Amino acid sequence: MAEQTPPTYDPRHPSPEHPRRGEAGSRRLTTAQGLRVDDTDRSLTAGPRGPVLLEDHHLREKITHFDHERIPERVVHARGYGARGTFRAYGNAASVTKAAFLATADEETEVFVRFSTVLGSRGSADTVRDVRGFATKFFTREGVFDLVGNNMPVFFVQDAIKFPDIIHAGKPHPHREIPQAQTAHDTFWDFVSQHTESAHMVMWAMSDRAIPRSYRTMEGFGVHTFRLEAADGTTSLVKLHWKPLLGTHSQVWEEAQITQGADPDFHRRDLAEAIDSGAFPQWELGLQVMPDTPDETFEGIDLLDPTNIVPEELCPVQRVGLLTLHQNPDNYFAETEQVAFHVGHLVPGIHVTNDPLMQGRLFSYLDTQLSRLGGPNFAQLPVNRPRAEVDSNLRDGMHQTEVHTGVAVYKPNAVEDDEPTASPEDGFVTLPTPVSGEKGRHHPVSFRDHFTQARLFWVSMSPVEQAHIVEAYTFELGKCFSQEIRTRELSVLARIDTDLAARVAAGLGVPVPPPLEKEGVTGPEEAEPSPALSQLPTEPGRVDGRVVGVLVADGGDLSVVERLRSALGDDGAVVRVVAAHGGEVTSADTALTVERTLLTTRSVEYDAVVVADGTAGTPAGDDARTAVLIQEAFRHGKPILASGDGAQVLAAVGLNGREPGVHVVEQAADVLGPLRQDLAMHRSWERLAALAGVTGR
């Protein structure tokens, strides 16, 4: 009888008994070593609200593999731009933290800030619908502190063990590597519709917050709750905010799409040009300070849940310092590409909490720098080098640039008579917070309300902002091939708000499913609107960096350009000359350099468009591209003005000056008043509301 040989696994010919990794036949998730996994959604913690344990081999394997997926481009936040600047403390934070760079009045700290998109590759566009990174490296005299945040105050998942999953779901489909830098596809919506803790963050991502007008008009958030320690030992739980002095403004969706094609480098160009021109962007750092209670909650809100915000009406943001960006990098690769942020870069007075997403980031950021920057000595790169004195026992390794001396690489030692110099008074000492509980993959009860804060965001939006959110959901779900995924997400929306679900379903041409019922998930509770969440300005703001395009023609009135430059230049606004041809445009004894031609410009470059007298009947006034420019500016809610016969150019596209934000004046001198007023409000919100078919701003 012939000897029987046991079946072997051939990766080229998988069998039901030995399915290939990733094949449909593999029904149980395992580790890379084949160990079946009991739970891939929750990290191993010491008790329901305790810290994540280092022994969680599944968490470490999952995140380590994720961190090393790309060489050398960042797995996330690959598309970025940085700038140097300073942070000046007001000194009023001394009551809550002993961190010198916050507590000492007028102390200036050097910073490097990197803005980025999350999903796209380095070659993607700036203005895609996405979360934006807002990472700040403070070179303090006590060491480096990194505030590694986003332009949204919450995140998609509550636990870092699911971070690789949400990013994989949002990234391009692996078999075709499309769509790039977009979430409008099946895997993203499949994930978030099944992991309903994402509902709040998805609402932010579908809002105008995901398509900022500029890095300069973008809020920033630390996302997590930090524990701050004052000099007297008292502690507070704190959320950190960046508030732009120019206000918080966004593009509209069509404008963002046009920008992707017309200028994919729009945001980095905008920031670089603003800094070069001396219009230095500024943000105030703000703190929401809350009591450090044993349950780590505030007004019923779990402060360890990264899908939660604390409404500013419940806890106002206290401004504690001013960030000013005043220098562009000298070399993109050496600085912006090699800058290495880490949530664990802390200074005395600032501590982490047991937020399970934050705990995972403490491991992930250091690990990913080892892969990207080739070894453990990335802190010696000029862009990362601390300004405080460094005297560590770290030696050798790849890219070591220091030439260390001495033979005793430990402290204390008797070989070189070297006694330790650190003490609790001048060093970082971890707060002795109590830890207890059974080991396990816990899901705290307070983490199970997935819908109240999503509803809070929705009811806080103005009608026009709600219309934009509806359009975003409709667009994104309309790109999904699976009707099952669309229906499931609509049931999530129905759980948040029935009107929201009905409007999105109507856009998709499908019936509204019943609200999602999911075991162990609660909410929503009724929520009072939080006005701070809306981006609509309640009063005129600054016009720094706003760009006004003035269409002129040879022989026409060129005085409007100089009038606007004289009046708006001191406010930091930019006035650009647009004409049908390059070179110079002339009239009588005046000549102006043409900065944009109709061939090289699009409406997205401008915050307002002015058509000068003398343009009608000329190549500039009659060009079809002029009509497109004005029509786009109109649809995007931008101020449009015409003087003299410029009104005929507007009339040719159906505008008569009675529309909201459209003005027709007789003389060039009359342009300034309405233009300044409209620029200060960013857009004509009444016009956008009318175009969206809603009433009210």
Side-chain angles (χ1 to χ4, degrees):
M1 188 173 183
E3 181 179 352
Q4 291 185 338
T5 57
T8 58
Y9 172 67
D10 184 348
R12 297 169 298 175
H13 304 288
S15 65
E17 293 78 20
H18 299 281
R20 180 184 297 159
R21 296 180 184 182
E23 290 282 322
S26 179
R27 298 299 182 188
R28 288 291 300 274
L29 183 69
T30 75
T31 68
Q33 308 306 316
L35 177 69
R36 287 185 172 181
V37 174
D38 64 328
D39 189 336
T40 192
D41 284 346
R42 285 171 281 274
S43 298
L44 190 67
T45 60
R49 301 179 60 73
V52 174
L53 300 179
L54 186 62
E55 71 178 75
D56 191 347
H57 60 91
H58 178 44
L59 166 70
R60 287 186 286 111
E61 177 189 77
K62 188 174 179 181
I63 290 188
T64 299
H65 191 281
F66 172 72
D67 289 341
H68 293 257
E69 284 180 0
R70 304 287 189 276
I71 300 175
E73 181 178 286
R74 285 172 168 85
V75 179
V76 288
H77 298 277
R79 174 77 175 180
Y81 192 78
R84 293 189 176 277
T86 56
F87 175 79
R88 179 175 59 82
Y90 297 155
N92 56 334
S95 61
V96 293
T97 181
K98 62 182 181 181
F101 81 99
L102 290 175
T104 308
D106 294 323
E107 175 151 339
E108 288 202 351
T109 301
E110 181 185 345
V111 300
F112 189 92
V113 177
R114 188 177 188 271
F115 303 102
S116 56
T117 55
V118 173
L119 286 178
S121 67
R122 279 186 59 188
S124 58
D126 280 352
T127 58
V128 295
R129 179 179 293 280
D130 197 359
V131 185
R132 298 303 190 283
F134 193 136
T136 308
K137 184 177 290 291
F138 296 85
F139 297 97
T140 85
R141 55 184 164 96
E142 298 177 294
V144 169
F145 171 63
D146 286 346
L147 180 55
V148 196
N150 289 333
N151 74 323
M152 300 179 189
V154 290
F155 200 65
F156 292 100
V157 294
Q158 296 167 322
D159 194 309
I161 201 169
K162 285 191 276 191
F163 183 71
D165 301 333
I166 178 59
I167 298 301
H168 287 153
K171 285 283 191 178
H173 290 186
H175 62 314
R176 293 192 177 95
E177 186 63 11
I178 56 175
Q180 176 62 242
Q182 296 182 52
T183 55
H185 56 85
D186 289 65
T187 56
F188 174 80
W189 288 100
D190 182 40
F191 182 91
V192 298
S193 62
Q194 299 200 63
H195 294 78
T196 51
E197 68 203 67
S198 299
H200 186 201
M201 179 65 169
V202 173
M203 191 72 74
W204 280 79
M206 293 302 104
S207 77
D208 293 342
R209 297 275 186 159
I211 44 176
R213 159 64 180 83
S214 165
Y215 292 139
R216 299 177 293 119
T217 61
M218 192 174 77
E219 278 190 290
F221 303 90
V223 179
H224 307 287
T225 300
F226 290 80
R227 179 171 278 108
L228 267 55
E229 177 189 10
D232 62 3
T234 58
T235 60
S236 307
L237 295 176
V238 175
K239 287 186 174 290
L240 291 88
H241 299 244
W242 287 116
K243 297 290 189 180
L245 296 194
L246 295 181
T248 307
H249 304 298
S250 295
Q251 294 188 317
V252 296
W253 178 229
E254 184 194 45
E255 183 184 10
Q257 291 177 300
I258 294 171
T259 308
Q260 291 172 36
D263 186 2
D265 303 308
F266 184 77
H267 282 155
R268 57 177 62 191
R269 191 188 312 280
D270 174 89
L271 181 64
E273 290 181 349
I275 293 174
D276 283 342
S277 70
F280 300 143
Q282 293 182 312
W283 293 259
E284 284 185 302
L285 181 65
L287 308 180
Q288 283 184 296
V289 181
M290 294 155 285
D292 189 358
T293 57
D295 62 2
E296 297 169 304
T297 66
F298 179 77
E299 298 288 339
I301 299 168
D302 192 330
L303 298 179
L304 301 189
D305 183 349
T307 67
N308 284 341
I309 66 165
V310 175
E312 294 184 25
E313 292 73 26
L314 294 181
C315 184
V317 176
Q318 304 173 41
R319 315 293 177 100
V320 299
L322 180 67
L323 167 68
T324 303
L325 297 183
H326 54 67
Q327 182 181 349
N328 284 304
D330 294 318
N331 182 280
Y332 178 89
F333 177 80
E335 297 174 271
T336 305
E337 188 63 17
Q338 291 195 124
V339 65
F341 297 97
H342 179 24
V343 183
H345 288 165
L346 302 168
V347 293
I350 303 178
H351 301 265
V352 298
T353 57
N354 290 341
D355 173 343
L357 180 65
M358 190 182 207
Q359 292 271 311
R361 294 178 77 193
L362 289 170
F363 169 78
S364 179
Y365 279 69
L366 178 59
D367 182 52
T368 199
Q369 308 307 346
L370 301 178
S371 174
R372 289 199 64 251
L373 299 174
N377 293 310
F378 58 85
Q380 296 179 21
L381 293 168
V383 70
N384 298 316
R385 189 175 297 148
R387 305 305 186 258
E389 181 182 359
V390 176
D391 183 14
S392 72
N393 286 323
L394 304 177
R395 294 294 187 270
D396 306 335
M398 292 184 66
H399 306 147
Q400 176 61 255
T401 62
E402 300 291 340
V403 180
H404 296 102
T405 59
V407 296
V409 192
Y410 50 88
K411 291 179 182 292
N413 69 77
V415 177
E416 296 177 336
D417 193 26
D418 187 9
E419 293 295 328
T421 57
S423 68
E425 288 73 32
D426 62 9
F428 183 90
V429 178
T430 300
L431 285 169
T433 51
V435 175
S436 64
E438 296 181 351
K439 288 190 294 185
R441 300 190 184 276
H442 301 284
H443 189 205
V445 172
S446 55
F447 274 40
R448 298 180 186 180
D449 183 350
H450 294 175
F451 299 109
T452 296
Q453 292 233 330
R455 178 163 178 77
L456 166 68
F457 188 84
W458 170 253
V459 300
S460 300
M461 296 295 101
S462 66
V464 66
E465 289 173 306
Q466 288 185 341
H468 290 171
I469 291 173
V470 169
E471 291 172 357
Y473 273 107
T474 306
F475 175 89
E476 297 258 329
L477 292 173
K479 294 289 186 176
C480 292
F481 292 101
S482 169
Q483 185 57 49
E484 176 189 354
I485 293 172
R486 293 181 187 176
T487 301
R488 191 189 313 123
E489 180 59 27
L490 284 170
S491 70
V492 172
L493 298 184
R495 182 83 177 258
I496 298 169
D497 186 88
T498 54
D499 179 59
L500 168 62
R503 292 164 68 179
V504 175
L508 295 172
V510 298
V512 182
L516 178 74
E517 295 296 333
K518 188 175 180 180
E519 184 178 357
V521 173
T522 63
E525 298 178 4
E526 274 307 315
E528 288 296 321
S530 172
L533 296 178
S534 172
Q535 290 191 103
L536 265 67
T538 56
E539 58 185 24
R542 291 165 48 167
V543 299
D544 311 41
R546 299 299 173 88
V547 181
V548 179
V550 183
L551 184 66
V552 297
D554 290 303
D557 180 11
L558 305 185
S559 67
V560 65
V561 174
E562 294 306 322
R563 288 177 182 273
L564 291 177
R565 282 178 172 166
S566 175
L568 297 177
D570 291 341
D571 295 332
V574 177
V575 179
R576 288 187 175 145
V577 176
V578 184
H581 59 79
E584 289 187 340
V585 61
T586 60
S587 179
D589 58 351
T590 303
L592 296 175
T593 300
V594 176
E595 294 160 290
R596 295 290 189 274
T597 69
L598 293 175
L599 178 64
T600 62
T601 196
R602 285 297 291 268
S603 64
V604 295
E605 284 195 78
Y606 310 112
D607 297 288
V609 174
V610 175
V611 183
D613 186 20
T615 307
T618 70
D622 294 341
D623 197 301
R625 289 168 293 196
T626 296
V628 171
L629 187 148
I630 295 172
Q631 290 166 340
E632 288 176 352
F634 181 81
R635 291 199 302 273
H636 303 160
K638 296 177 180 179
I640 300 173
L641 297 93
S643 62
D645 69 10
Q648 299 175 32
V649 179
L650 300 191
V653 295
L655 302 181
N656 55 31
R658 292 191 293 272
E659 301 83 0
V662 180
H663 306 277
V664 173
V665 297
E666 290 294 329
Q667 305 292 330
D670 300 327
V671 168
L672 182 61
L675 176 60
R676 184 190 293 275
Q677 180 179 346
D678 288 356
L679 274 179
M681 295 301 291
H682 183 57
R683 297 183 192 273
S684 170
W685 297 102
E686 292 77 11
R687 190 199 311 161
L688 287 179
L691 291 171
V694 297
T695 56
R697 293 178 54 194

